[in-house]
Amino acid sequence: MAYRETEKMRERKARARQNIIERTWECVAEGGFRSARITRIAGLAGVATGTIYRHFESREDLFAEIFRLATQREVDKVAEALNVYGNAVERLDNALRKFAQRALKGPMKAWALIAEPVDPKVEEERLVYRKAYASLFEQAIRDGIAEGCIPDQNARLASTCLVGAISESLVGPLSPTQTDIPPGQDNNEDELVNTIVCFCIRGLTGTRS
Amino acid sequence: MAYRETEKMRERKARARQNIIERTWECVAEGGFRSARITRIAGLAGVATGTIYRHFESREDLFAEIFRLATQREVDKVAEALNVYGNAVERLDNALRKFAQRALKGPMKAWALIAEPVDPKVEEERLVYRKAYASLFEQAIRDGIAEGCIPDQNARLASTCLVGAISESLVGPLSPTQTDIPPGQDNNEDELVNTIVCFCIRGLTGTRS
DNA sequence: ACAAAGAATGAACCATGATTCACTACTTGT
DNA sequence: ACAAGTAGTGAATCATGGTTCATTCTTTGT
């Protein structure tokens, strides 16, 4: 008898898997899921295409995992930003700002997570993601209504509007075919974030900033 | 000498072309551009696949034309709704409502026009479309600022927010993988439209409805 | 050093779907 | 009726890109 899987081997495999995940996310950040080719991912990861299939059942499964990991990160950040000291409006303002800033830092990623059409297994993950956001914002809106700093309204729909306004405003203008915004114009970006967040908060509260 | 293209022939060709366009739009309304197969379009139109290529240079060109025609229709409708009697806020309210209602009536169409990733030639058309909307809303917002019914703000960015909020709020919830909303719930739809439009108007004006 | 077991490889395979083109069928002017 | 020219056809071709699998390389226990 011979080869038995050893700890060292397990680790090496885990590292390889992790590496594939990271390279894939790089690809996605570059052109979305659709254009992330297995061959390219394998190339970046420095392995053969077949190797990908030793670690993941299929392309779709790989993507689903990537998606899950990435969205978890995003949702956590927003939850964190929603957890600062202050009233509901201030906390929402903070969270929206964080959301917008993160999306702007990686517009392609944001697009892939929010709007890119994806295969069923990935779409399933997206549903979870949407729900996670919706719940976070919805709860904050309810808090605000209870505190009296937000007028009574349908918190669920309002939270959808929030996500919609912010994500499209960011993803739309900054999606794939966009070359006319010179990079490094933080000025522009700051104004964009401000305008969007103001719009959202006003939409919610009905009061001028 | 013989065959010279005659009026009758020209008409027949035009009719065939028109038919292809309409069948294609049907396909798009069903599953977006990506899933609109040439073979299916040809089948619906009752012609051979090769025939499509007698009328259009390529699939992409066909799609670009479809897109152009469809968006023209949409933009015209919104322009019209923006042209009613009333102050800027009322006119915007009316236009937003029209936009939302039309999108809800054909969620897949709306998604295809607004958010579906498309090939370059089609994306180019979409840019025109976005600009057309942006200009319409932007002008109305400027009017409102001049009239004093909308506070001073960056009209261009605000118009983007409007389109963003409304389109994502509609397209997101109603995009492809959506089966949990029983059809015919006009109640739901009305509330959705109301909430979104209220949100947009408040976002713009900062006043409670 | 050797054999057993798994890991890695990447060229071959396969599915999908757009596009082509040799051919047929139709229109038209004489 | 015929010839010239055009429209229509759809099976064959081509391109893309995910997936497989026979083979080679590594690791491990004796």
Side-chain angles (χ1 to χ4, degrees):
Chain A
M1 207 193 322
Y3 185 88
R4 263 309 95 86
E5 181 177 72
T6 178
E7 186 53 33
K8 177 183 145 203
M9 246 342 190
R10 232 188 318 279
E11 259 175 39
R12 181 203 282 195
K13 279 204 287 182
R15 214 167 24 245
R17 189 188 153 92
Q18 186 56 31
N19 183 40
I20 290 171
I21 287 179
E22 281 162 21
R23 278 341 113 227
T24 303
W25 186 230
E26 255 173 42
C27 276
V28 171
E30 222 170 68
F33 287 100
R34 173 134 89 122
S35 78
R37 310 281 162 224
I38 291 289
T39 48
R40 175 142 168 61
I41 294 169
L44 282 180
V47 299
T49 58
T51 304
I52 305 287
Y53 290 87
R54 298 208 131 259
H55 292 278
F56 300 90
E57 196 62 31
S58 69
R59 189 172 109 113
E60 212 181 337
D61 277 317
L62 168 58
F63 284 178
E65 173 121 15
I66 301 296
F67 198 98
R68 188 165 33 242
L69 291 170
T71 52
Q72 192 53 60
R73 237 179 357 249
E74 292 303 312
V75 169
D76 285 350
K77 287 287 176 192
V78 168
E80 194 183 296
L82 214 41
N83 222 18
V84 298
Y85 177 81
N87 69 30
V89 170
E90 288 162 349
R91 295 188 294 119
L92 276 163
D93 184 295
N94 193 50
L96 290 170
R97 209 166 285 277
K98 176 58 74 59
F99 185 123
Q101 282 160 348
R102 289 185 65 81
L104 275 173
K105 232 184 339 191
M108 185 64 82
K109 286 181 199 173
W111 174 73
L113 293 182
I114 294 167
E116 180 179 6
V118 291
D119 290 308
K121 276 185 188 167
V122 181
E123 185 64 33
E124 218 170 289
E125 297 299 326
R126 179 178 284 159
L127 234 62
V128 177
Y129 167 63
R130 276 197 205 285
K131 278 217 182 80
Y133 270 124
S135 303
L136 286 177
F137 285 133
E138 193 183 336
Q139 189 50 53
I141 294 172
R142 281 193 212 295
D143 291 350
I145 295 172
E147 290 171 15
C149 59
I150 293 176
D152 192 29
Q153 62 196 284
N154 182 326
R156 169 159 293 277
L157 278 183
S159 73
T160 306
C161 285
L162 284 185
V163 177
I166 205 166
S167 57
E168 244 284 318
S169 303
L170 294 168
V171 170
L174 297 175
S175 71
T177 48
Q178 196 70 2
T179 46
D180 56 351
I181 291 178
Q185 288 276 36
D186 304 76
N187 223 354
N188 265 344
E189 293 203 349
D190 280 356
E191 194 192 347
L192 185 60
V193 172
N194 267 326
T195 306
I196 295 171
V197 173
C198 276
F199 182 92
C200 284
I201 293 294
R202 277 202 304 233
L204 226 41
T205 63
T207 48
R208 305 192 183 183
S209 80
Chain B
M1 207 193 324
Y3 187 87
R4 267 305 98 84
E5 181 177 71
T6 178
E7 187 53 33
K8 177 184 144 202
M9 248 341 192
R10 233 189 315 280
E11 260 175 38
R12 183 204 281 195
K13 280 205 287 182
R15 220 174 9 252
R17 189 188 154 92
Q18 186 56 30
N19 183 42
I20 290 170
I21 287 178
E22 282 164 20
R23 280 338 113 228
T24 304
W25 186 229
E26 255 173 43
C27 276
V28 171
E30 222 170 70
F33 287 100
R34 172 133 88 124
S35 78
R37 310 283 163 222
I38 291 291
T39 49
R40 175 144 169 58
I41 294 169
L44 281 180
V47 299
T49 58
T51 304
I52 305 286
Y53 289 88
R54 296 206 137 260
H55 292 277
F56 299 91
E57 196 61 31
S58 69
R59 190 172 108 112
E60 213 181 338
D61 277 318
L62 168 58
F63 285 178
E65 172 122 16
I66 301 297
F67 198 98
R68 187 164 34 241
L69 291 170
T71 52
Q72 193 53 59
R73 242 183 348 253
E74 292 303 312
V75 169
D76 286 350
K77 287 286 175 192
V78 167
E80 193 183 297
L82 214 40
N83 222 19
V84 298
Y85 178 80
N87 68 30
V89 170
E90 287 161 350
R91 295 187 294 119
L92 276 163
D93 183 295
N94 192 50
L96 291 169
R97 210 167 285 278
K98 177 58 71 63
F99 184 122
Q101 282 160 348
R102 289 184 65 81
L104 276 173
K105 232 185 337 194
M108 185 64 81
K109 286 182 199 172
W111 174 73
L113 293 182
I114 294 167
E116 180 179 7
V118 291
D119 291 307
K121 277 185 187 167
V122 181
E123 185 65 33
E124 217 170 289
E125 296 300 326
R126 180 178 283 157
L127 234 61
V128 177
Y129 167 61
R130 275 196 206 286
K131 279 218 182 80
Y133 271 124
S135 303
L136 287 176
F137 285 134
E138 193 184 336
Q139 189 49 53
I141 294 172
R142 280 193 212 294
D143 291 350
I145 294 171
E147 290 171 16
C149 60
I150 294 176
D152 192 30
Q153 62 195 285
N154 182 326
R156 169 160 291 276
L157 276 183
S159 73
T160 305
C161 284
L162 284 185
V163 177
I166 204 166
S167 56
E168 243 285 317
S169 303
L170 294 167
V171 170
L174 297 174
S175 72
T177 48
Q178 196 70 3
T179 46
D180 56 352
I181 291 178
Q185 289 275 35
D186 305 75
N187 222 355
N188 265 343
E189 292 203 350
D190 280 355
E191 194 191 348
L192 186 59
V193 172
N194 266 326
T195 306
I196 295 171
V197 173
C198 276
F199 182 92
C200 284
I201 293 294
R202 276 202 306 233
L204 226 42
T205 64
T207 48
R208 306 189 183 185
S209 81

